[in-house]
Amino acid sequence: MAQHKRIQNSNQPTPVLDRQQAVPALIPNPTDFLVVGGLAGAAQELCALTNDGPNVYGLGGAMGAATTMGLGPALAQPHRRVLAITGDGELLMSLGSLATCAVLNPPNLRIVCVDNGHYGETGNQDSHTGLGVQLDKIAAGSGIPTVFTINTEAEIPEARKILNAETGLCFILLRVKEGSALKVNRSLDPAFTRNRFRMALLGRP
Amino acid sequence: MSEHGEVTGGATWPDELYDLLRANGVTQFAYVPDAGHKVLINRSLADPDAHSISLTTEEEGVALAAGADLGGGRAVLLMQSSGVGNCINMLSLTAGGRFPFLTFVSMRGDFGEGNPWQFQMGQATQKVLEAMGVIVVRANEPDEVIKVASAAITMAYHSGMAVAVLLSQRLIGAKKF
């Protein structure tokens, strides 16, 4: 099969982590956060980790939404930690959202990108990160104050500390192999999940 | 108003509109800058109780507004009509999730436009919004802005609808070329 050429000066190690182990290891406490999960793997994983819990708004479309959608509750709920979790394909579509978040710099927002280097939902085509584009460098260049990259299991405890620290906008790049995400039978009704999220947080739909 | 489509001088509606939005609990002002929104942007920057959110593209504001609602907050999106085209797919989040949504759109390619590049998106703005389930109301004259904005606030935040207020070039002035 014909393929794009890799970017020559990219020096990232080959991904070794399995997302089905790495994501729960990074986020063992998903109910501690208000979560916006981007399509498709990231939303599926956080829904699976919470058994389709009310604190997760999992997107099934609106590609590119997750990071700026996470900014909304971060600003509205300054005393809650908000996790915007996305994939490489979605984040590549909304790179500017990193700049928008960095300028606002909400101390309670955590951005995690599960980067498998592929468009997993559409036939596993190489994404730009799979060809060498480095989202951690883009996040740092956007002005996100704390950027951390996970290539191996050894880095997960440090990343977990950053994610759970009291304050500080951060971006964590979790580099994983190709492979399916954890899944649960989750509601794909965007209005139902909106009302469920608000009922749990605010006591009203 | 100035020749750059910038509302200045005697126009009082921009300040009144900012006060009206704040009085209705709006704390997140998201925008891609436009001269027609200059007063609102500057007021939000100076307001210690509001967030002034400069976007890199308008669709970020659609997602942000839905997120604000998830968190129990209220956002408005301020954009030029050309930015409406950047929002199309993201408005599927608004419609599908039945998120309240309020946007103020300063028009180009409209009344007295002197730049032919602006007409395609300007003339498609209302159709595009309506195709994505957004209710469109329009303000043409300074003395109707607050009345139209009040109606839109009720429709968005009390009835949970998605509403766009188009601010005509009759109102904000056509940029001179």
Side-chain angles (χ1 to χ4, degrees), chain A residues 36 57 59 62-65 68-69 71-73 75-77 96-97 99-100 104 190-191 194-195 197-198 201-202 204, chain B residues 28 51-56 59-61 63-64 66-73 89-90 92-93 96-100:
Chain A
V36 175
Y57 193 83
L59 292 150
M63 189 165 178
T68 35
M69 194 170 182
L71 186 56
L75 297 176
Q77 296 284 333
S97 67
T100 298
L104 266 287
R194 177 241 177 206
N195 290 344
F197 189 105
R198 283 176 52 96
L201 177 65
L202 309 165
R204 61 181 193 276
Chain B
Q28 300 189 23
H51 299 286
S52 186
I53 302 153
S54 184
L55 309 166
T56 67
E59 65 186 302
E60 293 175 0
L64 175 93
D69 173 75
L70 277 186
N89 183 53
M90 202 58 81
S92 58
L93 170 63
R98 297 206 302 273
F99 285 98

Side-chain angles (χ1 to χ4, degrees), chain A residues 69-141:
Chain A
M69 194 170 182
L71 186 56
L75 297 176
Q77 296 284 333
H79 303 297
R80 293 294 304 268
R81 259 175 295 171
V82 175
L83 170 64
I85 182 162
T86 181
D88 49 302
E90 180 178 58
L91 190 55
L92 284 162
M93 192 176 275
S94 53
L95 290 175
S97 67
L98 295 172
T100 298
C101 291
V103 167
L104 266 287
N105 196 21
N108 57 335
L109 179 62
R110 312 282 178 266
I111 304 169
V112 170
C113 177
V114 183
D115 179 359
N116 67 357
H118 289 81
Y119 292 97
E121 290 297 301
T122 56
N124 239 29
Q125 298 88 349
D126 285 329
S127 80
H128 303 66
T129 64
L131 297 167
V133 170
Q134 294 169 274
L135 288 169
D136 45 2
K137 292 194 173 169
I138 293 172

Side-chain angles (χ1 to χ4, degrees), chain A residues 15-30 41 44-46 48-49 85 112 114 116 150-157 159-160 163 174-183:
Chain A
V16 296
L17 291 169
D18 179 336
R19 66 189 296 163
Q20 295 207 11
Q21 274 99 52
V23 173
L26 176 63
I27 311 165
N29 55 338
Q44 286 165 355
E45 272 153 347
L46 269 292
L49 294 179
I85 182 162
V112 170
V114 183
N116 67 357
I150 303 168
N151 283 305
T152 68
E153 207 177 332
E155 287 122 21
I156 291 178
R160 206 161 47 216
L163 212 52
L174 173 59
R175 299 185 66 242
V176 298
K177 296 183 290 191
E178 291 176 64
S180 59
L182 289 169
K183 281 194 177 81

Side-chain angles (χ1 to χ4, degrees), chain B:
Chain B
M1 69 195 62
S2 81
E3 64 179 27
H4 300 297
E6 179 186 311
V7 182
T8 55
T12 57
W13 66 263
D15 277 308
E16 291 167 21
L17 178 56
Y18 188 81
D19 293 336
L20 179 70
L21 291 166
R22 291 290 289 115
N24 279 277
V26 175
T27 57
Q28 300 189 23
F29 292 81
Y31 51 83
V32 173
D34 186 48
H37 295 305
K38 189 176 178 184
V39 171
L40 276 82
I41 292 169
N42 286 341
R43 288 285 305 272
S44 70
L45 279 166
D47 187 343
D49 299 319
H51 299 286
S52 186
I53 302 153
S54 184
L55 309 166
T56 67
T57 175
E58 292 81 358
E59 65 186 302
E60 293 175 0
V62 178
L64 175 93
D69 173 75
L70 277 186
R74 288 179 176 173
V76 292
L77 172 57
L78 312 174
M79 62 178 157
Q80 191 188 98
S81 49
S82 48
V84 169
N86 295 344
C87 294
I88 298 173
N89 183 53
M90 202 58 81
L91 286 167
S92 58
L93 170 63
T94 310
R98 297 206 302 273
F99 285 98
F101 176 66
L102 180 59
T103 181
F104 290 84
V105 180
S106 54
M107 292 302 298
R108 297 293 308 268
D110 188 36
F111 192 83
E113 177 64 59
N115 179 356
W117 290 78
Q118 290 287 349
F119 280 96
Q120 287 71 28
M121 194 62 233
Q123 291 299 306
T125 293
Q126 181 160 354
K127 294 175 202 166
V128 161
L129 288 165
E130 288 174 345
M132 291 310 295
V134 179
I135 298 167
V136 176
V137 294
R138 182 180 279 265
N140 288 320
E141 304 294 339
D143 61 4
E144 65 181 1
V145 174
I146 296 304
K147 196 159 58 173
V148 172
S150 298
I153 286 167
T154 301
M155 292 153 79
Y157 297 132
H158 296 271
S159 295
M161 296 292 114
V163 186
V165 179
L166 306 189
L167 303 171
S168 162
Q169 274 184 293
R170 286 178 83 148
L171 176 71
I172 54 180
K175 192 169 177 173
K176 295 283 193 297
F177 286 89

Side-chain angles (χ1 to χ4, degrees), chain A residues 49-64:
Chain A
L49 294 179
T50 58
N51 195 24
D52 203 16
N55 67 309
V56 177
Y57 193 83
L59 292 150
M63 189 165 178

